[in-house]
Amino acid sequence: MIKKALTGLALVAFLFSNVAAKDYYLSPNAKAGNGTIEQPFASLNEVQIAIRSDISTGLKEDINVYLRGGSYRLSETFVLGLNDTHMDGYTVSFKAYKDEEPVITSGVAIKNWTKLKQLPTHAASKAQGNLWVADLPEGLGAFKALFDGDKRLTRAKSEPWIPAEPSKSIEQSDSRNVHHNKDRYALRMVPDVNGIMREWENISDVECIFNPVPWNLMSIQLESVDTENKMGWLAFEANAQVGTKNPHHAPAFVYLENAIDFLDEPGEWCVNTVEKKIYYWPENGQPSTTIEAPALMELVRVEGKIRYDLASDIPAKNFHFEGLTFTKADRTVWYKNHKGWGIQHDWDTFDYGNALLRFRGAENCSVNACRFTNSGGSAVRLDLHAQNISISNNYIDYVGHMGVLLAGYGPGTKYVNKNNTIHNNIIHHCGELVWHGHGIFLWQSGDNKITNNWIHDVPRKAIGVAGVRCQILMKPWSDFDEASRTIRWNEIEATADSTLDAQQRYFPYLHARNNLIKDNKATRTMLKLSDGSSINISGAGAGNIVDHNLLYDLLYTGFRTDDWQDETITRNNIVWNCGGNAYIFKGHNQLYNNIAVNVKKAVHMRAYPQQSFIPGAVIRNNIFMSNVEGFEIYKPAGWPKNMNLQKPGKKKMPYEYIVENNVYYAEGANEFLATQKAEGIEQGTVVADPLFYNVEKGDFRLKKKSPALKSGFKPFDVSFDSFGVDKSYPDKFRKLDNEVLKTKSSAFHPIH
C-alpha cells in the first residue's frame, strides 16, 4: 500500500515537472527590474538575455514571457534565433498578461508641429493656411505610411492619368515582362502625359504608382525626369511596361505620390528627406498628438540558420505568440537588382523582411489570438524553411500588403516549406497599399491546411496558391523574369527527366502541392484589381484540394484553376451572387459537386496556348442556377490550334472533357443543352429546378425530390455556420469584425 502511494506521488511529481514553467514579466513602464511581476523587465531585449541564460544552463521547464499592457516600441527588428531555442519538449512563449493588451510597434512619434505661414515652393495654392511642418525624426527615411492613432493617413498624390500603350516593336514575354535584355530600358520609362513631372530636389522620395497589367500594382521611386521629352525614369525596373495590357474591370492608371506639389487635400501628407521635413494638412485644423511614422518593415523575426545551397537548414523551434497586437510597420519597397526575385507576378519578394511577424527557418511554432493591424506591410510571413507552424484565431485588418504569406524555396528538390496550418482567422482590408496583396498566399509551399478562415473586403484574392509557371522554367537563359532567379537550376538539371514534355518535366519541382483549402468563407474580393479569382490555383503542383468553401457577393470570379495547373480537385463549394464567372477552368483538373447560384457565367473554359493538353478533365454533378441577365453556361475559348479538333466534321470542345450529370436552371439552358448533347457532351445532364429550400435567403439544402440528387449530386453542409471561423474564435475579435460588417451595404453579410 505504501509502495503504491509512493508510486502515485512519483507520478504526480513527474507530471508536475512537465507542466512547471519559468515565468518572466515585461512592462513598457518598468524601470530596472529582474523580470518578476513585482519588478518586470522593460524590454524584449532584457528578457532575451534571461532566456538565453536559462537555456544555456539546461533549464527543463517551459519559459513564459508575460507582456503587460502598453506599447513596446522597437527601433530594431527583434530576432529570436538558435540561441533562444529551447530543447525539444519545451517552449518559449510570449503572451499577453491576463486581459491586458500589449502592443508591439515601430511607430515613432512626430512632434513639434509648426503651422506654415508661407507656402513652400511648388505647393498647391489651395493649401495656403492649412499646412503644418515637423522635423523628420532621427533615423527615419522616406517612410511610405503615416498613422494617426488607429488610422492610416493618406499620402499626397497627383491626379491619375491613362497611360498610352507601349511600342509594339518591343517583344513581350508571356508574363508581360519584356522578352529580351536589350529592351529592359523600357521597364523604367513613364511617359509624362500631363506634363506634371519636374526635377525634384528630393526625387528619390517621389514614387510612381501604376498598374501595368490588371493583376498588379507597382510602386517604384523616380530616378530622373526628362522635362523636355516629357519622360520620367524609374529607379528600378518594373515587372512590365507602363500600360502593357488593357485591364478588365480595373481602369489602367498612373499617378505620382509624395511630393509637395500634390498635397492639396485635408488629411494628406508628404515627406522630404533632403529637407528632413514632414508636411501635413490636418483634417481637424491642427495635428493630433498621436501621429506616428514606422521605423521598421519587420518587427519580430524567428530565424534559424538558413543554408541556402545545402539540402537542409537548422531551424529555430518551439516559439509561441499569444494575445499580442502587432502594428505600425512600413510597406515593401523595390530595390536594386530586384528583377528575378519577385514571386509570381511580383506579388511579393522572395525571402524579404516586410511583415510584422516573420518566420524564416523555423519549426513547431504558433501564433494564436493575436491581432495584426494598421500597418503598411504584410501581417505574417513564413519564409524558406517553415514547418509545423500554426497561425490560428487571429484578427488581421487594415494592413498594406499580404495577410499571411507562405513562401518556400524556388523550384528544385529542396522542399522544406510545408505542413503548416492557417486556421480560424479573420482577414479583411489587407492590400490597402499594395493592391495585389492576398488574404492568404501560398508560393512554393505545400501539404498545408488552410481552413475555417473568414476573408472579406480585399482588393484582390482571398486565397491564392502558386509556384513558378512553366513558361519561366522553359527559358533558363533569362534571369530577369518573375521568380527566375529563385530557380535552383543545379538541382533540376541533375534530376529532371528530359524525355518528358516541359509541363511534366518540371511538375515535381513545384512545391505548392497537396494543400487543403477547406471550410473557408469569403466575400467582396477583387475590389481593386482584376484578372484573378477569390480562390485561385496557378502554376502550382499536384494534389491541391479546394473543398467546402463559400464565396458570395463577388464582383469578379469565384474559383479558378489557372495557367499551367493540373491535378486539382474543386468540390462541395458554393458561389452565390457573382458578377463574373463562378469557375474559370483550365488544365487537367476536376470540378464536381459544386453549387453556383446567380452568377454571370457558370464555367469559363480555356486552354493555355503553350500548355500540353491532357484529355479527361472532369466537370460533373454540379448545380448551376441563375437569373442574371445574359447568363452563360460555358463558352470554350483558347483551345490549342495544334489539336485540330474544331475543323469541319470534328466535334467541338469540350468534347475531350468529361462533362456530365450536371443540373442547369436558367433561361436558354434547354437550347444550350440540346446543342451540347448533339455533340456527345453533357450526357446525364438535365435542365430543371434543383429545388433548393430558399434561394433568396441562401438556404441551399435540397428537397427530397431534387433532380440533382437523381443525377448523382452528394449533399453537403450548406449552412453559413459551417464556413468561416468556428465557435472557438475569440469574442473580442468577433465584435470588432461585426462593427466593420455593419458599415457594409451587402444584405448578405452574416453578423456573428
Side-chain angles (χ1 to χ4, degrees):
M1 193 74 177
I2 294 174
K3 184 176 180 181
K4 287 184 178 180
L6 289 172
T7 301
L9 288 171
L11 178 61
V12 169
F14 173 78
L15 293 172
F16 182 79
S17 69
N18 279 270
V19 298
K22 182 70 173 288
D23 294 340
Y24 290 109
Y25 297 84
L26 269 73
S27 172
N29 302 314
K31 296 181 181 179
N34 56 13
T36 62
I37 192 168
E38 296 82 8
Q39 293 181 294
F41 290 132
S43 71
L44 290 166
N45 290 330
E46 286 182 76
V47 79
Q48 185 174 44
I49 294 171
I51 290 170
R52 290 181 174 179
S53 176
D54 288 338
I55 290 172
S56 67
T57 59
L59 177 72
K60 293 184 177 181
E61 293 179 349
D62 290 342
I63 298 174
N64 294 321
V65 179
Y66 291 100
L67 284 75
R68 305 296 302 267
S71 293
Y72 297 81
R73 299 187 182 278
L74 302 180
S75 57
E76 296 181 349
T77 301
F78 179 64
V79 181
L80 294 163
L82 295 176
N83 290 334
D84 310 293
T85 296
H86 216 332
M87 67 178 68
D88 286 342
Y90 298 97
T91 62
V92 176
S93 300
F94 294 80
K95 303 179 181 182
Y97 178 74
K98 294 186 177 179
D99 294 326
E100 297 183 11
E101 295 185 8
V103 176
I104 299 175
T105 176
S106 74
V108 176
I110 309 298
K111 301 178 179 179
N112 301 319
W113 291 94
T114 302
K115 191 171 185 179
L116 289 172
K117 296 180 180 179
Q118 183 175 350
L119 278 179
T121 307
H122 301 293
S125 59
K126 64 186 294 188
Q128 178 65 51
N130 296 305
L131 292 189
W132 293 67
V133 66
D135 291 333
L136 189 66
E138 190 69 30
L140 289 188
F143 49 83
K144 316 303 180 187
L146 185 68
F147 307 94
D148 189 352
D150 60 359
K151 176 184 177 182
R152 180 179 53 80
L153 299 172
T154 302
R155 196 162 66 150
K157 63 182 179 181
S158 72
E159 290 294 324
W161 68 88
I162 304 299
E165 289 189 18
S167 170
K168 296 187 184 301
S169 65
I170 295 178
E171 185 181 351
Q172 295 179 352
S173 292
D174 298 320
S175 63
R176 305 298 177 181
N177 195 358
V178 299
H179 196 65
H180 303 291
N181 260 300
K182 66 181 179 63
D183 297 324
R184 290 174 64 172
Y185 71 91
L187 297 173
R188 296 179 51 234
M189 296 171 60
V190 183
D192 183 15
V193 173
N194 295 335
I196 65 170
M197 296 187 188
R198 62 181 176 89
E199 296 176 1
W200 285 277
E201 71 284 355
N202 62 324
I203 195 165
S204 64
D205 296 337
V206 182
E207 281 193 310
C208 183
I209 317 294
F210 60 103
N211 61 336
V213 289
W215 54 81
N216 186 280
L217 184 75
M218 296 271 91
S219 303
I220 304 177
Q221 70 199 59
L222 289 176
E223 182 178 74
S224 63
V225 172
D226 181 349
T227 54
E228 182 178 349
N229 294 298
K230 298 181 69 173
M231 183 69 69
W233 290 88
L234 301 173
F236 313 116
E237 296 174 6
N239 69 347
Q241 300 172 79
V242 171
T244 292
K245 187 176 188 293
N246 289 330
H248 293 251
H249 74 256
F253 60 81
V254 182
Y255 61 84
L256 302 180
E257 277 194 357
N258 196 49
I260 193 69
D261 315 48
F262 315 129
L263 208 169
D264 55 6
E265 295 289 341
E268 292 185 340
W269 62 275
C270 68
V271 61
N272 185 316
T273 58
V274 172
E275 297 178 351
K276 298 186 183 300
K277 300 291 184 183
I278 304 168
Y279 295 94
Y280 178 42
W281 181 344
E283 287 184 321
N284 298 322
Q286 64 181 40
S288 76
T289 59
T290 57
I291 296 176
E292 295 180 338
L296 305 171
M297 284 200 301
E298 179 184 54
L299 300 190
V300 176
R301 181 170 73 248
V302 176
E303 183 174 44
K305 185 174 183 180
I306 293 297
R307 301 190 292 185
Y308 190 87
D309 293 326
L310 298 180
S312 63
D313 305 306
I314 304 174
K317 298 181 180 180
N318 309 322
F319 293 99
H320 304 278
F321 302 87
E322 183 175 341
L324 309 179
T325 294
F326 298 82
T327 188
K328 295 191 176 93
D330 211 353
R331 86 152 152 75
T332 191
V333 294
W334 280 44
Y335 52 85
K336 188 176 181 180
N337 296 323
H338 175 276
K339 289 292 289 184
W341 292 112
I343 62 179
Q344 188 180 11
H345 295 327
D346 285 290
W347 286 331
D348 214 316
T349 304
F350 179 80
D351 191 19
Y352 190 55
N354 63 349
L356 290 162
L357 175 59
R358 183 185 183 204
F359 296 89
R360 182 181 186 268
E363 291 185 3
N364 306 329
C365 299
S366 70
V367 183
N368 181 57
C370 291
R371 187 178 183 190
F372 300 84
T373 187
N374 203 28
S375 192
S378 298
V380 183
R381 283 187 71 130
L382 280 61
D383 275 323
L384 302 179
H385 186 125
Q387 297 179 28
N388 301 314
I389 296 176
S390 172
I391 312 296
S392 301
N393 303 308
N394 302 290
Y395 192 58
I396 298 173
D397 66 328
Y398 299 102
V399 295
H401 200 172
M402 297 284 183
V404 181
L405 171 66
L406 287 71
Y409 283 95
T413 58
K414 189 170 185 178
Y415 174 41
V416 291
N417 196 300
K418 58 186 177 180
N419 298 325
N420 302 295
T421 299
I422 314 300
H423 173 72
N424 220 45
N425 303 283
I426 293 180
I427 303 173
H428 69 84
H429 292 89
C430 62
E432 288 280 274
L433 295 177
V434 186
W435 292 356
H436 49 252
H438 298 42
I440 301 170
F441 186 37
L442 283 64
W443 183 84
Q444 285 290 99
S445 179
D447 292 282
N448 303 296
K449 294 180 180 179
I450 314 300
T451 54
N452 290 99
N453 299 288
W454 165 218
I455 303 172
H456 65 86
D457 296 284
V458 293
R460 190 136 173 81
K461 300 173 187 173
I463 301 171
V465 182
V468 175
R469 290 179 172 179
C470 277
Q471 68 260 38
I472 308 297
L473 288 154
M474 289 164 65
K475 50 178 189 180
W477 50 267
S478 174
D479 68 350
F480 64 93
D481 213 341
E482 59 189 49
S484 57
R485 295 168 77 177
T486 74
I487 300 170
R488 303 169 70 83
W489 283 112
N490 289 342
E491 296 170 5
I492 293 175
E493 290 167 357
T495 57
D497 186 346
S498 60
T499 66
L500 300 174
D501 67 29
Q503 192 167 343
Q504 296 302 312
R505 180 163 68 249
Y506 296 126
F507 217 37
Y509 309 108
L510 304 180
H511 302 318
R513 59 193 184 216
N514 302 324
N515 292 295
L516 177 64
I517 300 172
K518 183 177 174 61
D519 300 332
N520 301 285
K521 181 172 64 177
T523 188
R524 291 178 55 80
T525 63
M526 304 293 296
L527 296 181
K528 293 285 191 181
L529 298 175
S530 61
D531 201 348
S533 65
S534 296
I535 296 182
N536 196 100
I537 318 291
S538 175
N544 290 299
I545 297 175
V546 182
D547 182 24
H548 194 254
N549 301 278
L550 169 64
L551 306 178
Y552 66 99
D553 289 1
L554 308 177
L555 291 176
Y556 206 56
T557 297
F559 299 86
R560 180 163 77 165
T561 49
D562 202 10
D563 299 345
W564 301 96
Q565 185 55 47
D566 287 334
E567 310 307 328
T568 301
I569 293 174
T570 304
R571 68 189 181 203
N572 304 329
N573 300 286
I574 299 174
V575 183
W576 180 29
N577 293 347
C578 176
N581 309 283
Y583 305 96
I584 294 180
F585 190 81
K586 306 181 190 179
H588 190 264
N589 300 292
Q590 298 184 50
L591 179 69
Y592 65 86
N593 220 71
N594 300 282
I595 295 171
V597 175
N598 293 343
V599 299
K600 184 71 173 179
K601 183 186 289 185
V603 184
H604 179 64
M605 299 182 190
R606 284 188 59 198
Y608 194 72
Q610 295 180 355
Q611 189 169 346
S612 302
F613 183 82
I614 305 173
V618 172
I619 303 177
R620 175 192 288 139
N621 295 124
N622 301 289
I623 301 173
F624 300 107
M625 175 180 180
S626 186
N627 60 12
V628 175
E629 186 177 352
F631 169 74
E632 289 183 293
I633 293 176
Y634 53 80
K635 182 179 180 181
W639 301 105
K641 294 178 181 178
N642 60 6
M643 287 185 61
N644 208 27
L645 290 174
Q646 296 196 66
K647 284 187 175 181
K650 297 288 185 179
K651 293 184 177 181
K652 298 176 183 178
M653 295 303 293
Y655 173 71
E656 298 232 350
Y657 281 3
I658 300 171
V659 185
E660 62 187 15
N661 297 326
N662 298 295
V663 174
Y664 300 122
Y665 190 52
E667 185 177 345
N670 280 306
E671 294 81 358
F672 176 84
L673 186 57
T675 301
Q676 297 304 99
K677 286 191 172 183
E679 296 287 345
I681 308 165
E682 295 278 19
Q683 300 306 307
T685 294
V686 298
V687 175
D689 186 341
L691 298 178
F692 294 121
Y693 267 70
N694 192 324
V695 171
E696 287 72 25
K697 293 186 177 180
D699 186 348
F700 299 123
R701 292 176 298 161
L702 292 171
K703 297 178 181 177
K704 290 182 179 180
K705 294 183 178 181
S706 169
L709 299 176
K710 295 179 182 179
S711 295
F713 184 90
K714 304 295 183 186
F716 57 88
D717 191 346
V718 296
S719 64
F720 260 47
D721 289 343
S722 67
F723 304 95
V725 294
D726 61 29
K727 294 180 180 179
S728 68
Y729 189 74
D731 285 340
K732 65 177 182 178
F733 294 155
R734 198 182 298 268
K735 290 176 181 177
L736 286 173
D737 199 50
N738 283 340
E739 290 302 312
V740 175
L741 296 179
K742 286 177 183 178
T743 67
K744 301 302 172 187
S745 60
S746 169
F748 303 111
H749 273 302
I751 302 299
H752 301 297

